[in-house]
């Protein structure tokens, strides 16, 4: 919800300025790419520690390692999960 508000706030400010008869303060193509990067960075910083800590907290991490896994399978699965969460 906070990300939605952060992305839409400049649009609301522009709409309010135009409704009062002023010129548009900035173009819509200017703020969205930079703001999107900031929102995704904050999301990644908040969610990355949760990927492993949930497995530790619910004690399923030993279940993952009770059968032989290749060295990179677990980190790859967590990376793919985080990437899928960012893309969807």
């Amino acid at each position: 919800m906070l990300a939605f508000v952060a992305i839409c706030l400049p649009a609301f400010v522009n709409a309010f300025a135009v409704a009062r008869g002023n010129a548009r303060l900035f173009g819509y193509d200017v703020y969205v790419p930079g703001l999107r990067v900031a929102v995704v960075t904050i999301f990644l910083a908040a969610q990355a520690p949760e990927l492993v800590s949930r497995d530790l907290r619910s004690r399923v991490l030993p279940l993952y390692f009770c059968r032989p896994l290749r060295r990179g399978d677990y980190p790859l699965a967590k990376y793919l999960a985080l990437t899928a969460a960012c893309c969807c």
Side-chain angles (χ1 to χ4, degrees), residues 4-73:
F4 176 75
V5 172
I7 293 290
C8 290
L9 185 63
F12 291 138
V13 170
N14 265 343
F16 184 73
V18 170
R20 297 198 69 186
N22 298 330
R24 190 182 317 167
L25 300 175
F26 40 84
Y28 291 120
D29 57 341
V30 174
Y31 72 88
V32 172
L35 193 57
R36 186 181 314 136
V37 168
V39 170
V40 169
T41 302
I42 292 169
F43 174 77
L44 289 175
Q47 293 303 314
E50 289 292 321
L51 288 175
V52 176
S53 67
R54 286 183 187 166
D55 292 342
L56 290 172
R57 190 176 325 127
S58 59
R59 300 192 175 147
V60 296
L61 193 59
L63 293 175
Y64 293 146
F65 296 127
C66 70
R67 64 183 181 93
L69 292 175
R70 290 191 313 242
R71 182 179 178 110
D73 284 347

